[in-house]
Amino acid sequence: MNRRGPVFLARRSYRMRRLRDGARLLPVAGTFLLLLPILWQPAATEARDTAFDGIYIFAVWAGLIIVAAILSRALGTGEEAEAPAGREDDEGLTP
Amino acid sequence: MPFNLLVLACLTYVAFLFAIAFAVERRAQAGAAGWLRSPWIYTLSLSIYCTAWTFYGAVGYAARSGLEFVTIYLGPTLMFIGWWWVLRKLVRIGRQQRVTSIADMISSRYGKSNLLGVIVTLICVVAATPYIALQLQSVTLSFGVFAAAGSYGWVMPDTASTGLWVASGLALFTILFGTRNLDANEQHTGIVIAIAVEAVVKLVALVAVGIFVVWFIADGPADIVTRINASPIADWELVPTRWAGLIALSATAVITLPRMFQVLVVENSDERNLATASWAFPLYLAAMSVFVVPIAVVGLQMLPAGANPDLFVLTVPLSVGQGGLAMLAFLGGFSSATSMVIVASIALATMVSNHIVMPVWLSLRPTREVTGDVRRLVLNARRFSIAGVLGLGYLYYSFSGGSASLASIGLISFVGVAQMMPAMLGGLFWRGATRVGAAAGLITGFVLWAYTLFLPSFGPDSVFSLSVLMDGPLGLSWLRPQALFGARGMDPLIHALFWSLVGNTTAFALGSLFSFPSPVERVQGLAFVNVFDTERSEPQAWDQGLIDTEELLKLAQRILGDEPALTFFQQATQEQGTDGYLPDPTPAFLEALERKLAGAVGAAAAHAMIAELAGRARVTVADLIRVADETAQIMENSSRLEHQRAELERTARQLREANEKLTQISIQKDAFLSQISHELRTPMTSIRAFSEILMEGDVPPEMAVTQARIIHEEAIRLTRLLDDLLDLSVLENGTVQLDLRLVSLTELIDRALRAAGQVRPDQTFVIWRDLPTEALFIRTDPDRLAQVFINLVSNARKYCDARQPEIRIAVKQRGARVIVDFIDNGSGIPKDKQHIIFEKFARLTDQTRAGGAGLGLAICREIMANLGGSITYLPAQGGAAFRVTLPLRLEKPKYSDAA
């Protein structure tokens, strides 16, 4: 869609858009980290370190939760910044 | 623990939940429950993802296959922290389209196609069956643990009848809970709260057992680490396909499971709640999972080798004599099972009634007119569906013998509901996805799932014979259910997931590429895919000219109930800037009404109903043009123009209406002036004539008496007319003195009926009243109110033209206001006259039938304004109907200082 707006955004809107990119990238990073144990498998046979595997998974899990919490706090629903700078978009919850 | 004590504990717990749900629904109705919409309640209600399968099964799963159990919770975690991709769009569409279930969502996306609704409903019902069986099995097993531990009290019945008792108890509980009312938006506040409470109970229970195991049986985390590495669990092998496949599968299931869709999308009361749930729900899942491995390890070490690991949560505390903790754990498991069954069966029942029962009913209906109360039908359909769904679950449970481990049963359901994913994701992101493609994909996936996973799950020689499983049907080895096309080395579950989704997606893509969507489909596709850009995309423009608003109101009353429908129509009229109950059938209004109806009966049925009333079931060429992208873009650019035009139009309509009213009043006033001079002159003439005769003096006495009486009667008539005029002017100026007293409404109505009985005394009227509802004491001016009632009843007696006239008086209390309806069964007041009847001097017929001057209703209106209430005409009630609204307690007269 070619929206008529300025080519470059104000600093605030720019930050908001990068935050949204971050929110989109987070599950990708999470998927990578959680699939990583597949690669360890051959090495895991010599020593018994299931507990370590478990700790790793729960640590990644906790990290994802913390980052998601920070991002969601900053994003809200993303409604405020949905419109490009300088133009009011009529996307809103009110009829 | 004695078995009877256990049953008592369960019943008490259920009663407690019921009380909470009831109290909260009460408060929500009173409007005092803002915290219900809080993100925490939303997150807790999402926790029905953790069923008894999580509560008992996860530990068993860990004991059997090590860390693999965690994939079931990692998938949803990824789905939720990635909410910006899918969930946000899903929730927005769900709210915008007033989606009632996942079947409704898919049917709505693909042109409100009921065929898809039916397919998705069937898939969901079949896929939910093993899952419900799993809950029954886990509750039954946990009963068994306690019954074995205690030897006194009742003897526990055998497992089959326990399962039956549990199933019927849950069915009863769900019907009581979930089908008391037909909510416009399918939201059930009471249930959401009960689920949230159960979520807390199960989390606390599992964490309590976990803490007990780690710090009281073992010596803290370090000891647990060494115990894990020393236990058989450390020998588990990570199977890469299962690890990745199960993460993907559970990520899919968390949005396609009907019960998850229900709490995630349908019960969502605020989009912002999703932002909090995006991290709080993964946190809940992590908290539920963190103690699973420790419990499994300690259970494997402490308990004898044959012990069922699915029950470690109960048996570990019991084996060290912690009866109280075990009881808490038991209630946690009970919570997990009940909350899942309640929400799942409500979600499935909604789908069955909206996509199967309603369409059948609509097509069986011979006439255009909507007859009967649809609400009752819908509610009964839901009740039967709930019982049916639980019955199926019980059958599966008794068929499969309750032998398989909990985890494997749950995964069968997961793969079943995952078949909805291609149609759903494709619908959200690809405008080219069509109904044909979606149907082809769903059917292909469902058949492959049933063939490779569901039917074999009953075991060899029950559905498939052993030879079919080993060598394929008719000896065709490449069709073996668990090794399709020679894929022999795969795990059966991953095999089924792989082939069903490959077949599903291929059929979906090919079907979409080679078919052409209908106009409605294309509009809906645009509305779904671009939900954040085109907030106002209008799926269909109904042809306004053909629609009779009164018919729409009748339809809406049948489905939404009288009061909500009237309120909705009244609001719409006010938004259009006019008064009354009949708005103009603008496209915006029709679409709002369709969505409102869709909330009660589903999108496809609502669309069909309005299409029928609009006299048109297919879409015209004009709509096709609207669909084209260019139009969408132009619409976007000219949205502001549109907005301004709409406002101008509204103003113009208001002006036009005011003008029309003024002209009519002016004509009436002229007519009245000539009439009032006529009314005044006729008695005057006879008074003058007869008094002249009397003055002559030579009249016989008996004739003089007659003439004097005529003079007297004419004078009284004049006085009455002048009294009315005076009364009206006093009321209009607000200088009236009100005599406020507490009075019984029944007595007032009695009085009005008695007084009005003198009007047309030859006519016999049937009066319908509901005395118990009338038993209200109101504080008002009884004489004035009686005057209004008398006027309304007399009018009904005067003008009701039915052969067997009836008057129905209905009283309702709405908070601090009382509503009294007077409805007769005559032909009512024509639509074009409805808004002038309350004007002064208004008369519908020219003949002065009962000698009134057309002031009665005008006086009534002024009286009601003085009493702090109102009087309005109710259209579409099958006759003339007037609604009097007044405060229950009128505090002090508004104009007391005047006088």
Side-chain angles (χ1 to χ4, degrees):
Chain A
M1 299 279 166
N2 60 339
R3 296 190 167 180
R4 264 167 285 154
V7 181
F8 299 109
L9 297 169
R11 195 181 177 79
R12 226 184 84 80
S13 314
Y14 182 87
R15 274 288 125 233
M16 204 56 170
R17 289 200 169 186
R18 297 296 83 79
L19 266 179
R20 261 182 278 157
D21 292 348
R24 289 199 181 94
L25 282 175
L26 185 62
V28 179
T31 310
F32 170 77
L33 290 172
L34 292 174
L35 290 183
L36 212 52
I38 292 177
L39 302 176
W40 301 342
Q41 199 46 33
T45 44
E46 18 186 291
R48 296 190 137 190
D49 50 3
T50 296
F52 171 76
D53 291 1
I55 291 169
Y56 167 78
I57 285 168
F58 278 98
V60 170
W61 205 338
L64 288 175
I65 291 169
I66 292 168
V67 178
I70 294 169
L71 278 177
S72 83
R73 195 58 56 83
L75 278 167
T77 53
E79 296 296 343
E80 310 78 26
E82 192 73 21
R87 209 192 103 176
E88 279 288 311
D89 202 321
D90 56 355
E91 173 182 333
L93 296 173
T94 47
Chain B
M1 176 167 303
F3 182 65
N4 46 358
L5 209 64
L6 202 62
V7 172
L8 188 69
C10 290
L11 290 180
T12 317
Y13 182 67
V14 166
F16 162 71
L17 285 180
F18 204 89
I20 289 185
F22 194 71
V24 165
E25 241 163 44
R26 265 287 159 83
R27 294 201 55 186
Q29 268 171 7
W35 54 274
L36 277 178
R37 301 162 64 92
S38 90
W40 307 111
I41 300 288
Y42 181 65
T43 307
L44 284 176
S45 72
L46 287 174
S47 73
I48 52 153
Y49 182 75
C50 303
T51 63
W53 173 21
T54 301
F55 198 85
Y56 296 120
V59 174
Y61 198 159
R64 292 186 189 96
S65 345
L67 280 176
E68 195 181 279
F69 84 93
V70 89
T71 52
I72 305 300
Y73 311 99
L74 291 179
T77 298
L78 290 175
M79 187 51 98
F80 268 80
I81 60 170
W83 62 296
W84 206 261
W85 286 105
V86 179
L87 294 183
R88 176 167 163 266
K89 198 164 188 177
L90 203 60
V91 169
R92 169 66 67 90
I93 291 173
R95 292 174 59 80
Q96 202 183 37
Q97 303 275 332
R98 280 180 175 268
V99 163
T100 58
S101 64
I102 184 163
D104 193 37
M105 168 108 181
I106 291 179
S107 122
S108 179
R109 160 64 180 82
Y110 297 103
K112 314 197 174 181
S113 144
N114 201 48
L115 171 75
L116 283 178
V118 172
I119 296 176
V120 174
T121 304
L122 288 180
I123 294 182
C124 290
V125 170
V126 177
T129 305
Y131 217 136
I132 288 175
L134 186 156
Q135 311 302 320
L136 297 179
Q137 179 178 338
S138 65
V139 173
T140 312
L141 280 177
S142 63
F143 268 122
V145 167
F146 279 96
S151 50
Y152 50 99
W154 294 349
V155 182
M156 186 184 140
D158 63 336
T159 47
S161 53
T162 311
L164 187 61
W165 277 108
V166 172
S168 0
L170 286 176
L172 184 70
F173 186 49
T174 312
I175 288 172
L176 285 177
F177 244 124
T179 59
R180 282 190 299 127
N181 49 353
L182 186 60
D183 205 311
N185 216 3
E186 283 308 330
Q187 291 188 337
H188 308 84
T189 4
I191 291 187
V192 170
I193 288 302
I195 303 299
V197 171
E198 293 194 299
V200 175
V201 171
K202 63 196 183 197
L203 182 66
V204 167
L206 198 59
V207 169
V209 174
I211 289 176
F212 177 73
V213 162
V214 173
W215 279 279
F216 293 85
I217 295 183
D219 295 329
D223 184 31
I224 284 291
V225 168
T226 50
R227 281 183 190 228
I228 290 174
N229 284 338
S231 75
I233 290 182
D235 291 332
W236 77 291
E237 286 282 327
L238 188 150
V239 185
T241 52
R242 271 184 79 89
W243 183 262
L246 288 177
I247 290 182
L249 178 60
S250 58
T252 305
V254 78
I255 54 173
T256 51
L257 278 170
R259 64 171 198 281
M260 286 308 293
F261 191 88
Q262 178 84 20
V263 287
L264 183 68
V265 179
V266 181
E267 310 274 356
N268 177 298
S269 53
D270 189 341
E271 271 177 62
R272 277 167 297 181
N273 291 350
L274 194 58
T276 308
S278 74
W279 59 270
F281 180 58
L283 182 65
Y284 186 94
L285 293 178
M288 287 294 278
S289 316
V290 74
F291 289 114
V292 166
V293 173
I295 296 173
V297 168
V298 170
L300 283 175
Q301 284 170 350
M302 285 176 57
L303 297 172
N308 183 355
D310 282 331
L311 294 168
F312 280 174
V313 177
L314 292 179
T315 44
V316 167
L318 273 182
S319 70
V320 290
Q322 291 289 336
L325 188 62
M327 189 67 217
L328 180 65
F330 172 79
L331 281 184
F334 188 69
S335 292
S336 322
T338 49
S339 55
M340 179 274 169
V341 171
I342 290 169
V343 181
S345 51
I346 287 178
L348 291 173
T350 307
M351 287 192 225
V352 170
S353 84
N354 283 358
H355 295 280
I356 296 178
V357 178
M358 280 306 291
V360 168
W361 180 80
L362 274 176
S363 63
L364 288 181
R365 203 165 37 103
T367 52
R368 250 185 79 132
E369 199 179 335
V370 184
T371 49
D373 193 347
V374 185
R375 289 150 59 83
R376 188 139 295 280
L377 177 86
V378 171
L379 282 181
N380 280 335
R382 288 192 186 168
R383 289 180 185 134
F384 282 114
S385 313
I386 288 175
V389 164
L390 277 162
L392 281 178
Y394 176 71
L395 280 183
Y396 186 96
Y397 166 70
S398 46
F399 236 97
S400 66
S403 54
S405 71
L406 298 178
S408 59
I409 305 182
L411 288 173
I412 295 173
S413 287
F414 270 30
V415 180
V417 293
Q419 303 310 323
M420 261 114 51
M421 199 58 165
M424 191 153 108
L425 276 193
L428 290 186
F429 294 100
W430 183 31
R431 277 179 62 186
T434 70
R435 188 170 63 95
V436 176
L442 285 168
I443 293 173
T444 312
F446 179 64
V447 169
L448 283 171
W449 168 73
Y451 184 68
T452 56
L453 193 62
F454 182 65
L455 297 179
S457 78
F458 290 97
D461 287 328
S462 50
V463 182
F464 289 144
S465 64
L466 190 64
S467 68
V468 171
L469 285 177
M470 297 306 291
D471 306 322
L474 309 171
L476 297 168
S477 64
W478 54 278
L479 277 182
R480 279 159 56 188
Q482 292 177 323
L484 272 187
F485 307 113
R488 214 167 313 144
M490 286 170 103
D491 173 81
L493 182 89
I494 297 300
H495 169 268
L497 178 69
F498 176 76
W499 282 119
S500 63
L501 280 185
V502 165
N504 185 335
T505 315
T506 313
F508 173 61
L510 289 181
S512 296
L513 290 178
F514 288 105
S515 61
F516 194 82
S518 75
V520 183
E521 259 182 276
R522 299 180 72 181
V523 181
Q524 287 295 86
L526 180 73
F528 273 57
V529 175
N530 295 345
V531 65
F532 292 110
D533 302 330
T534 50
E535 197 71 6
R536 78 217 147 260
S537 65
E538 304 294 335
Q540 61 284 117
W542 295 111
D543 195 346
Q544 300 183 35
L546 291 170
I547 296 183
D548 184 354
T549 331
E550 215 159 330
E551 288 292 314
L552 283 179
L553 178 56
K554 275 185 202 160
L555 174 81
Q557 282 179 333
R558 293 263 150 70
I559 293 171
L560 306 170
D562 289 353
E563 281 312 310
L566 280 173
T567 319
F568 180 72
F569 273 62
Q570 196 177 19
Q571 275 169 2
T573 321
Q574 275 164 8
E575 271 161 31
Q576 292 182 356
T578 52
D579 268 341
Y581 291 96
L582 294 179
D584 290 344
T586 59
F589 166 69
L590 288 175
E591 207 210 328
L593 178 66
E594 190 187 323
R595 282 194 195 151
K596 185 104 180 158
L597 294 181
V601 296
H607 191 74
M609 285 174 172
I610 294 198
E612 207 162 320
L613 281 182
R616 174 180 74 116
R618 58 182 67 229
V619 182
T620 61
V621 186
D623 288 336
L624 260 177
I625 299 167
R626 280 170 55 87
V627 186
D629 295 12
E630 294 83 15
T631 323
Q633 206 140 356
I634 291 168
M635 269 170 64
E636 202 172 316
N637 291 340
S638 63
S639 72
R640 205 171 306 169
L641 216 68
E642 185 105 12
H643 187 68
Q644 281 174 345
R645 212 197 59 189
E647 203 158 301
L648 271 177
E649 245 174 32
R650 204 179 314 139
T651 322
R653 194 166 45 236
Q654 274 168 316
L655 277 176
R656 222 172 16 244
E657 211 150 275
N659 191 23
E660 211 172 284
K661 217 163 162 181
L662 279 176
T663 324
Q664 252 173 356
I665 288 172
S666 149
I667 294 171
Q668 290 224 327
K669 214 159 203 165
D670 287 347
F672 173 76
L673 279 180
S674 69
Q675 190 178 337
I676 200 149
S677 42
H678 174 75
E679 297 257 345
L680 287 173
R681 216 165 63 200
T682 325
M684 277 304 186
T685 319
S686 41
I687 289 171
R688 213 172 72 195
F690 287 117
S691 53
E692 270 165 16
I693 296 172
L694 282 177
M695 277 193 306
E696 305 258 314
D698 52 347
V699 197
E702 62 275 20
M703 210 151 150
V705 170
T706 322
Q707 285 165 355
R709 196 169 55 237
I710 292 174
I711 291 174
H712 182 70
E713 275 167 10
E714 292 299 308
I716 286 177
R717 211 170 114 190
L718 269 179
T719 321
R720 203 170 59 215
L721 185 63
L722 293 174
D723 276 349
D724 274 0
L725 282 170
L726 202 65
D727 201 15
L728 196 58
S729 92
V730 167
L731 284 163
E732 277 184 338
N733 295 336
T735 50
V736 65
Q737 285 275 8
L738 293 180
D739 173 22
L740 295 185
R741 265 181 292 145
L742 211 55
V743 61
S744 150
L745 190 58
T746 319
E747 263 172 41
L748 264 183
I749 295 176
D750 284 346
R751 187 169 140 194
L753 287 172
R754 259 197 320 274
Q758 293 155 9
V759 181
R760 281 172 84 187
D762 48 311
Q763 274 276 27
T764 46
F765 269 74
V766 183
I767 312 274
W768 296 99
R769 295 172 61 179
D770 182 12
L771 290 177
T773 57
E774 285 175 14
L776 287 174
F777 273 85
I778 50 179
R779 185 179 158 81
T780 189
D781 184 331
D783 293 332
R784 285 301 190 177
L785 191 58
Q787 197 182 341
V788 174
F789 287 176
I790 292 170
N791 204 300
L792 291 177
V793 178
S794 323
N795 274 356
R797 295 189 71 107
K798 265 186 241 169
Y799 300 113
C800 180
D801 50 7
R803 192 165 299 160
Q804 276 153 346
E806 292 174 6
I807 302 175
R808 191 156 61 81
I809 301 174
V811 178
K812 276 165 258 177
Q813 192 187 341
R814 289 277 174 277
R817 299 189 80 72
V818 180
I819 294 173
V820 188
D821 290 343
F822 293 84
I823 302 167
D824 69 30
N825 61 343
S827 53
I829 294 175
K831 208 171 133 191
D832 54 331
K833 295 286 192 332
Q834 283 171 10
H835 52 286
I836 56 160
I837 49 175
F838 291 107
E839 304 300 339
K840 270 177 283 182
F841 323 130
R843 265 201 181 119
L844 299 190
T845 44
D846 279 335
Q847 76 261 43
T848 50
R849 262 205 253 171
L855 291 176
L857 284 175
I859 292 179
C860 287
R861 188 178 68 172
E862 293 305 326
I863 293 178
M864 288 319 297
N866 275 283
L867 292 180
S870 65
I871 175 169
T872 45
Y873 185 76
L874 283 183
Q877 305 295 318
F882 289 89
R883 162 161 296 186
V884 176
T885 312
L886 66 153
L888 192 60
R889 300 272 185 273
L890 183 58
E891 270 322 320
K892 57 177 178 187
K894 247 157 79 188
Y895 307 104
S896 53
D897 50 332

